[in-house]
Amino acid sequence: MWEGLRLQVLLLCLGAVLWSSAAVAGSRGPQDRGHRHHHPSVYRSRERRKEGQVLHRSKRGWVWNQFFVIEEYTGPDPVLVGRLHSDVDTGDGNIKYILSGEGAGTIFVIDDRTGNIHATKTLDREEQAEYTLTAQAVARDTNKPLEPPSEFIVKVQDINDNPPVFLHGPYYASVAEMSNVGTSVIQVTASDADDPTYGNSAKLVYSILQGQPYFSVEPHSGIIRTALPNMDREAKQEYDVVIQAKDMGGHMGGLSGTAQVKITLTDVNDNPPKFSQGVYAMSVSEDKVPGEEVGRLKAKDTDQGENGLVDYTVLEGDGMNYFEISKDSETQEAVIKLKKPVDFETKRSYTLKVEATNPYLDTRFISWGPYKDTTIVKISVEDADEPPSFMATSYTFEVEENAPGGTLVGRVHARDTDIANNPIRYLIPRYTDLEEFFTISPEDGTIKTTRSLDRETQAWHNISVSATEIGGHHQDAKVRVNIKVKDVNDNAPEFATQEEVLMCENVTPENQQNLPAVDKDEMAHRQHFHFSLAPRVANNLNFSLKDNRDSTANVMVIRRGFSRMTQGVYELPIEINDNGVPPMSSTNTLMIRVCSCDSKGTILSCNVEPFVLPAGLSTGALIAILACIVILLAIVVLFVALRRQKKEPLIVLEEEDIRENIITYDDEGGGEEDTEAFDIATLQNPDGANGFLPRKDIKPELQYPLRPGLRPVANSVDVDDFIKTRISDADNDPTAPPYDSIQVYGYEGRGSIAGSLSSLESVTTDSDLDYDYLQSWGPRFKKLADLYGTKDSADDNS
């Protein structure tokens, strides 16, 4: 390819040289292939230089041909584009040529003496196809224009230096499978940057390099068409095709480009569904419930989308009533489900004929054959350990009330439906017979009562009986048993209501009261109640009784005028008989209360009122007096209780001793309220204090022993140690509240049971005490110091 390009460049260069020589030769004669432009100013100047001479007018102007330069020239010297020459140029070098315009001075340079134009750079036609330049001839010494400027064009001559390019590749296309030969698939187009008006550089021809023999391409249009009939998508779906575009009309030396085209065959419904097996085997257990899945099967269709959809139907078979078929829309599988329960002992296998069809057909391929397929499905029933089956769905029995325990009620029966036919065991679930009125025989299912039943308490007993196989899988079946308690005439009739009958004092003899009766037993046909007065009141003069023969009676008044002050209530015993078998009767007392009524018979009051009230006192006053008495009694009781509580001592003493109840009031503490007694017995004999006297104002729960070392030693008479011991015991006692009190103990030592504690007596007695320290207490204690100190001094002197 590059060798052909070099050859073209050499030929173009040779043609340019020959053209330039012809242009120079043509400029010397008046007739040439260029154009002459006359310049009037130059002509007049020459006439002035030759005054006096006869001159002939001659045509003067620029002479040139259209300039061309070959693109992509890479020679060592600048390329001669052409030569400019003016008629005013005599060759003496006085004319200077100037070039301006596009690329002047950079791409194109001119020899200002000869007018030769050279291209100094390599040109690319695809970047710029032509350049517009302006040439002008001026006087070299004055730079004055000798002729007006003139434009000319330099065209860049094209060479085949650009290969064809597919601007939109790679391409993706699709065509339906089974299409006819020559079906258009896609058109590809290449672009060539070379000049389409010059030579064959941009003349393209298309050809297929890869994809034969399935596809072909039209050479001049680039349309790809199918080349083989009956291309099957299921055999091959995608094809990679390579298309080449070559310039120079496809001849040798032309440049080329390629494009990738991926062609996909789209699906058509040209394949029927097909079962992979002629017979499918399935199984179902007899304990399955309707709606459960039995099995699945699938007819394969190699088509795609809606062309591959399959519908399933059951055509025939003895299992059509027991099984149904549906489709899983996601997996396109046929799902066979149980429609009705099956029984292994009744029938052990079923057969179905299933058909698969395409819901969408293509009329172009109907002649290829039926688009459906059939298969046989055999379903075997598996034996399962079923629970027993009762002979009836429910049982209803009757038993008379008051029948003794052990009376037969009825019998239920169940059997094992399996082949093993195991024996059955019966029982009554306790939650259905909480009070255990009935019992059942585990072996034969006979039901009996455990005690007598009362219809009036419970007329129906609804229980369940469970049957379980012996030796089976402990499956049980339950049946409902309804037991009706038959009525026996064991209840006497009685009044329908126990309310009192109200009667006015001024009642008339024709007044009567209707009395209905009820019986807890069932009333037999033509059975009614019979009413009569009790024999002891049969001849009373106040009331009489009329039996209405319809299970009611009327009580009538036989005298006029009653007084509720005399007798407010009348009791009328009435016997009621039910005429049953056996007959039952009862005596019921009718309470008739006499009431005060107005003239219209409206009841005003039925209570007995007192005739006389206390004079001058109303009911409210009596209530106030009683309330005051109650309040006074409460105050007295409270006062007595407080006095008794106040007199009760706080400390319980074992022996009463008047000497041991000494209360001191010489302290600045509680005064008269401080009435706590002290145990002086311990002070009288400190050596004998080894008991514990409880306090009455507390109830200690724990008693802690005294700490060792704190109790006074035997034969000790130190009161200070005794008091410290008692304080320590009180501080360490967790059961006693922290009562603060001051206790004064005036103890003068052993040997004085009731000695005087007065300080006045100590003045007259000899004392061993030293009162000299009173002298240092100041003037306020001088008299006291003189009294005691002087005496001591006198004693000392004596």
Side-chain angles (χ1 to χ4, degrees):
M1 182 178 67
W2 292 109
E3 292 177 355
L5 180 61
R6 294 191 192 99
L7 181 59
Q8 291 179 7
V9 172
L10 291 175
L11 292 176
L12 290 173
C13 292
L14 181 58
V17 172
L18 294 177
W19 174 80
S20 300
S21 300
V24 173
S27 65
R28 298 172 183 174
Q31 296 180 356
D32 53 303
R33 291 168 295 184
H35 303 279
R36 299 178 184 269
H37 300 277
H38 301 280
H39 204 292
S41 62
V42 177
Y43 174 76
R44 287 193 297 270
S45 64
R46 289 187 178 183
E47 286 185 341
R48 286 194 297 269
R49 285 196 300 265
K50 298 179 180 180
E51 291 180 357
Q53 298 178 1
V54 178
L55 299 178
H56 299 279
R57 182 182 298 275
S58 62
K59 295 180 180 180
R60 296 181 177 89
W62 293 106
V63 180
W64 67 84
N65 284 337
Q66 189 176 18
F67 296 143
F68 294 89
V69 61
I70 299 176
E71 67 170 335
E72 304 294 345
Y73 176 74
T74 57
D77 299 325
V79 179
L80 178 62
V81 177
R83 182 181 181 183
L84 299 178
H85 184 73
S86 176
D87 292 340
V88 298
D89 186 5
T90 59
D92 54 2
N94 293 325
I95 295 178
K96 180 180 178 181
Y97 294 97
I98 299 174
L99 186 65
S100 62
E102 294 178 328
T106 56
I107 300 176
F108 303 100
V109 295
I110 189 170
D111 188 345
D112 60 353
R113 291 184 178 272
T114 63
N116 292 332
I117 301 174
H118 291 80
T120 61
K121 294 183 179 181
T122 301
L123 303 180
D124 188 0
R125 190 199 67 83
E126 286 69 40
E127 292 183 1
Q128 188 167 346
E130 60 183 28
Y131 297 85
T132 302
L133 299 172
T134 302
Q136 190 176 17
V138 298
R140 184 177 295 275
D141 52 352
T142 62
N143 285 330
K144 292 183 178 181
L146 302 178
E147 289 186 359
S150 179
E151 288 185 355
F152 65 93
I153 296 175
V154 178
K155 288 189 176 182
V156 182
Q157 190 171 2
D158 181 54
I159 64 172
N160 191 18
D161 59 343
N162 291 281
V165 176
F166 291 91
L167 300 178
H168 303 288
Y171 297 89
Y172 297 90
S174 61
V175 63
E177 63 174 333
M178 299 297 171
S179 297
N180 298 326
V181 176
T183 301
S184 175
V185 180
I186 190 176
Q187 182 178 13
V188 295
T189 303
S191 177
D192 197 323
D194 293 326
D195 188 1
T197 63
Y198 179 77
N200 294 326
S201 297
K203 186 178 181 181
L204 304 181
V205 175
Y206 298 93
S207 62
I208 184 168
L209 300 181
Q210 178 180 325
Q212 296 174 333
Y214 306 102
F215 301 94
S216 63
V217 63
E218 293 183 356
H220 301 290
S221 63
I223 298 176
I224 302 175
R225 300 182 183 274
T226 58
L228 282 181
N230 300 330
M231 284 192 295
D232 191 5
R233 184 198 63 84
E234 289 71 33
K236 186 176 181 180
Q237 184 175 359
E238 293 183 350
Y239 297 85
D240 293 324
V241 178
V242 179
I243 302 297
Q244 181 190 61
K246 190 174 184 181
D247 58 11
M248 300 298 293
H251 294 95
M252 184 178 294
L255 303 179
S256 63
T258 59
Q260 299 284 339
V261 183
K262 184 178 287 296
I263 302 176
T264 303
L265 296 183
T266 58
D267 184 65
V268 298
N269 191 10
D270 59 339
N271 294 281
K274 187 69 176 178
F275 286 105
S276 58
Q277 299 175 215
V279 177
Y280 290 85
M282 300 179 183
S283 62
V284 60
S285 178
E286 63 176 344
D287 59 352
K288 296 296 183 181
V289 297
E292 292 195 37
E293 182 177 322
V294 177
R296 296 189 174 207
L297 65 154
K298 183 177 182 180
K300 294 183 179 180
D301 192 327
T302 55
D303 295 325
Q304 289 182 334
E306 67 177 16
N307 297 323
L309 297 178
V310 181
D311 289 339
Y312 300 92
T313 54
V314 178
L315 297 180
E316 58 185 19
D318 55 0
M320 294 183 65
N321 295 330
Y322 292 90
F323 301 93
E324 60 184 359
I325 193 169
S326 61
K327 185 180 73 171
D328 189 335
S329 59
E330 294 184 1
T331 61
Q332 295 294 309
E333 292 178 315
V335 182
I336 298 178
K337 295 181 180 180
L338 189 64
K339 186 178 180 181
K340 291 173 57 177
V342 293
D343 187 13
F344 175 79
E345 289 73 24
T346 303
K347 187 174 179 60
R348 301 188 179 183
S349 64
Y350 296 90
T351 302
L352 299 174
K353 185 177 182 180
V354 180
E355 181 185 60
T357 58
N358 283 138
Y360 303 103
L361 299 179
D362 194 332
T363 56
R364 296 176 298 172
F365 308 104
I366 291 179
S367 60
W368 289 18
Y371 283 82
K372 57 185 177 180
D373 193 16
T374 59
T375 188
I376 301 298
V377 180
K378 292 187 177 181
I379 304 174
S380 60
V381 181
E382 297 179 349
D383 188 22
D385 188 12
E386 298 176 285
S389 176
F390 282 95
M391 303 304 294
T393 57
S394 64
Y395 293 88
T396 301
F397 302 120
E398 293 183 350
V399 60
E400 288 188 353
E401 67 172 329
N402 301 327
T407 301
L408 178 64
V409 176
R411 180 173 181 264
V412 296
H413 179 66
R415 63 181 182 87
D416 184 11
T417 58
D418 298 323
I419 298 178
N421 195 17
N422 294 322
I424 306 298
R425 181 175 296 275
Y426 304 91
L427 62 89
I428 298 176
R430 286 300 95 192
Y431 65 87
T432 64
D433 185 20
L434 296 177
E435 299 185 17
E436 299 184 6
F437 287 111
F438 305 96
T439 182
I440 190 170
S441 174
E443 290 78 16
D444 58 6
T446 56
I447 301 174
K448 297 181 180 180
T449 61
T450 58
R451 57 184 179 272
S452 60
L453 306 177
D454 185 11
R455 188 200 69 85
E456 287 70 38
T457 302
Q458 188 173 351
W460 284 88
H461 294 267
N462 301 316
I463 65 174
S464 295
V465 175
S466 175
T468 308
E469 296 181 20
I470 300 177
H473 291 79
H474 304 288
Q475 298 189 74
D476 64 341
K478 292 182 177 62
V479 69
R480 193 72 174 173
V481 179
N482 304 314
I483 301 174
K484 179 182 180 182
V485 182
K486 297 174 63 177
D487 183 50
V488 175
N489 193 24
D490 57 347
N491 290 278
E494 58 186 4
F495 287 150
T497 176
Q498 298 298 327
E499 295 181 357
E500 296 178 338
V501 176
L502 304 181
M503 180 181 66
C504 294
E505 292 178 316
N506 56 353
V507 64
T508 58
E510 62 272 10
N511 192 4
Q512 57 185 3
Q513 178 71 34
N514 184 266
L515 295 178
V518 293
D519 194 333
K520 295 180 180 179
D521 296 323
E522 294 179 349
M523 295 291 291
H525 183 60
R526 295 182 179 179
Q527 182 180 353
H528 64 275
F529 300 137
H530 176 69
F531 297 83
S532 63
L533 294 176
R536 56 188 175 90
V537 296
N539 297 321
N540 74 92
L541 301 178
N542 297 322
F543 306 98
S544 65
L545 184 68
K546 177 185 178 181
D547 192 345
N548 296 325
R549 303 286 182 178
D550 59 354
S551 298
T552 63
N554 288 339
V555 177
M556 297 179 295
V557 181
I558 60 177
R559 76 180 180 88
R560 179 185 300 272
F562 290 86
S563 175
R564 59 187 179 124
M565 298 302 176
T566 305
Q567 184 174 352
V569 178
Y570 293 87
E571 296 181 355
L572 186 64
I574 299 175
E575 290 185 357
I576 308 176
N577 190 290
D578 60 6
N579 295 327
V581 180
M584 299 293 293
S585 64
S586 65
T587 299
N588 298 266
T589 300
L590 178 64
M591 305 295 293
I592 302 174
R593 183 174 295 277
V594 180
C595 301
S596 174
C597 303
D598 57 10
S599 59
K600 296 180 180 181
T602 303
I603 296 177
L604 300 178
S605 174
C606 295
N607 297 324
V608 177
E609 298 179 357
F611 291 101
V612 180
L613 293 176
L617 293 177
S618 63
T619 304
L622 292 176
I623 295 175
I625 293 172
L626 292 176
C628 292
I629 295 174
V630 171
I631 293 173
L632 291 175
L633 290 176
I635 293 174
V636 171
V637 172
L638 180 62
F639 178 76
V640 173
L642 292 176
R643 290 294 299 271
R644 293 185 61 184
Q645 183 177 3
K646 185 174 181 181
K647 293 180 179 180
E648 193 172 1
L650 295 176
I651 301 177
V652 181
L653 301 177
E654 295 180 358
E655 295 181 2
E656 283 292 333
D657 191 349
I658 192 62
R659 293 173 302 173
E660 296 173 359
N661 292 326
I662 300 175
I663 302 174
T664 59
Y665 295 94
D666 56 348
D667 60 302
E668 298 294 331
E672 293 183 357
E673 294 179 0
D674 189 358
T675 59
E676 185 178 1
F678 308 109
D679 183 12
I680 306 302
T682 305
L683 295 178
Q684 293 176 351
N685 188 8
D687 297 336
N690 52 7
F692 177 75
L693 296 178
R695 294 179 61 177
K696 194 172 182 179
D697 57 341
I698 62 171
K699 185 179 181 180
E701 296 179 358
L702 299 174
Q703 182 173 348
Y704 292 87
L706 298 177
R707 290 184 296 176
L710 296 180
R711 187 175 296 278
V713 186
N715 300 324
S716 175
V717 293
D718 191 352
V719 178
D720 184 67
D721 291 340
F722 170 78
I723 293 175
K724 290 181 178 179
T725 302
R726 285 290 185 264
I727 293 174
S728 177
D729 293 342
D731 293 338
N732 295 322
D733 187 4
T735 64
Y739 293 134
D740 294 334
S741 62
I742 299 176
Q743 299 180 356
V744 180
Y745 295 87
Y747 179 69
E748 294 186 353
R750 185 182 299 276
S752 177
I753 298 177
S756 175
L757 300 178
S758 175
S759 60
L760 298 177
E761 296 181 359
S762 64
V763 177
T764 60
T765 58
D766 294 338
S767 175
D768 295 334
L769 295 177
D770 185 8
Y771 295 98
D772 291 338
Y773 61 89
L774 296 176
Q775 300 294 336
S776 61
W777 283 20
R780 294 184 179 181
F781 297 91
K782 184 177 183 303
K783 185 179 291 294
L784 185 63
D786 293 341
L787 179 64
Y788 286 92
T790 304
K791 184 179 184 300
D792 293 340
S793 301
D795 293 338
D796 293 340
N797 294 333
S798 62

